[in-house]
Amino acid sequence: MSIDFNQTSGEWYTFDGKDLDVVLSTRVRLARNLANFPFPHKLDSDEAERVISIIFDAFNQLPDREKFQCIGVNSLEDLPLRILVEHGFLDSPNKTPSGLIISSDSVISATVNQVDHLRLVHFLAGFSPEAALTKLSELDKKLQNYIQFAASYDFGYLNSKVLDSGSGLKLSVRLFLPCLTLQNKIPELINQSFNLHYNLSAPFGSRGTSLLNPYLTTGSLGCYYELSTTSCSSESEIQNLASFSSYVQSFIVKERQERSECSKLYSSIFNNYILRSLSVARFSLFISIREAVEIISGIELGLCINRLKGITFPDLHALLFKIQTSNLDFVLANGHFKFDTDIEKSIELKKDRLRALIIQETLEHVDLIEE
């Protein structure tokens, strides 16, 4: 089974979107299970294959079926599998026969027999949960013409995890919060989110000591965060969406307020971070993944406070995926590169060198805006 990664590796990251200076992307998920089948972790191989067949057949009967590519996950080789996990299309693979459906524009995807029989996902750039849920709900209704989902009058849709039962809706956004991080507001926001049944996490790991900005030593790497709902059972889809949207809006307002203050209070620190990020990007032969995330963060901050020009938010957000390990493995495997003899035998050095080249190409036209 082959996959055209030029068509399914994340074109939506390059799209424009709402509030891109704070919200990189929106992800909406609906969890569903077929009636009269055990949950995926209880399926035997024959039952699992039957579930895949039913769901693939349902997609193939849709009026716009040509938009979707159905993939048998267990037939994939290691590298394409890792890329799909890295891009958020798949969870870590399990032994149960499973499947994946991806739309031609990569905006909609669906997993089969992972945590649940079917998980429909819609990705959008920026903050647009209403638009994503509307399209996903339309697809869900179409599929119900061909599939009977397990549901209860009392509990709603029945899913493998108790907290996913009910609407089956999970909402999440990826956020850029450099000034809330600098002002040490993140611990308070983590606690507040937990009390409101949201989870605020670090998608790229914790920051630790920063080589690019020693004044930012805590929080998530690159000041990027993931905010997501934790329960589907307490509210309806509409209530859940309204509550989540309101809460995300509070993050947008707070971050922008802090930027206005911080750009005055910490102008030298900000300029240092931006200039260091640009300099390290342009003059390094090797860039590690942690350094790459920090560089992108520094450039994004410069864009947010109007200190840099020559690049867009979608360019930077797409770059966060281009510099990931599996994507570099794919580029190395499918390209013809000549490396210096002293790094030719080291796969890690070659990836760090390639990562530097990708960053330099993306930032080629970036320049400072004179104050």
Side-chain angles (χ1 to χ4, degrees), residues 156-353:
Y157 291 103
L158 303 179
N159 295 313
S160 61
K161 295 183 178 180
V162 173
L163 292 178
D164 282 339
S165 294
S167 67
L169 173 66
K170 183 173 182 178
L171 302 160
S172 62
V173 291
R174 187 158 289 184
L175 303 168
F176 180 55
L177 307 174
C179 295
L180 287 170
T181 302
L182 182 62
Q183 295 286 63
N184 200 30
K185 299 291 181 65
I186 298 301
E188 175 188 341
L189 289 170
I190 290 174
N191 290 333
Q192 180 189 85
S193 299
F194 178 80
N195 291 331
L196 294 172
H197 306 291
Y198 299 115
N199 182 47
L200 186 63
S201 59
F204 300 114
S206 61
R207 178 180 289 275
T209 302
S210 171
L211 296 175
L212 297 175
N213 188 359
Y215 304 98
L216 275 174
T217 58
T218 59
S220 178
L221 184 65
C223 302
Y224 295 107
Y225 297 86
E226 194 90 23
L227 180 70
S228 58
T229 56
T230 59
S231 175
C232 306
S233 58
S234 58
E235 297 179 315
S236 69
E237 287 184 6
I238 295 175
Q239 291 172 322
N240 200 339
L241 180 66
S243 299
F244 185 72
S245 296
S246 177
Y247 193 52
V248 174
Q249 286 292 345
S250 73
F251 276 79
I252 295 171
V253 170
K254 288 174 184 176
E255 174 60 27
R256 286 175 178 166
Q257 288 175 342
E258 293 294 342
R259 283 179 195 172
S260 179
E261 292 298 317
C262 289
S263 59
K264 300 172 185 176
L265 294 173
Y266 305 109
S267 60
S268 296
I269 293 174
F270 275 17
N271 285 332
N272 181 68
Y273 187 24
I274 294 163
L275 290 170
R276 267 191 161 188
S277 298
L278 195 55
S279 298
V280 171
R282 283 185 168 162
F283 299 107
S284 294
L285 292 178
F286 305 100
I287 296 177
S288 71
I289 190 165
R290 289 183 63 85
E291 289 172 331
V293 174
E294 287 286 285
I295 286 168
I296 296 167
S297 172
I299 302 300
E300 184 156 10
L301 177 61
L303 198 59
C304 287
I305 64 172
N306 296 315
R307 287 289 286 118
L308 293 177
K309 61 183 179 180
I311 198 166
T312 66
F313 289 115
D315 291 335
L316 290 171
H317 300 163
L319 188 56
L320 282 168
F321 291 89
K322 291 179 181 178
I323 53 91
Q324 297 298 318
T325 302
S326 297
N327 187 67
L328 295 178
D329 286 333
F330 177 77
V331 174
L332 284 171
N334 290 274
H336 301 283
F337 302 94
K338 184 175 177 59
F339 295 96
D340 292 337
T341 54
D342 60 333
I343 67 171
E344 183 62 44
K345 294 183 180 180
S346 171
I347 185 63
E348 293 306 318
L349 286 176
K350 286 196 288 187
K351 282 190 279 193
D352 285 354
R353 177 68 182 126

Side-chain angles (χ1 to χ4, degrees), residues 3 27 71-74 76-77 80-94 98-102 109-114 121 123:
I3 303 174
R27 180 181 184 271
I71 303 159
V73 171
N74 298 77
L76 293 175
E77 296 180 354
L81 194 62
R82 286 192 287 116
I83 292 174
L84 290 168
V85 172
E86 207 168 68
H87 282 78
F89 292 118
L90 284 175
D91 296 324
S92 297
N94 52 42
S98 57
L100 175 68
I101 301 106
I102 307 181
S109 67
T111 58
V112 183
N113 286 345
Q114 289 217 300
V121 176
F123 297 97

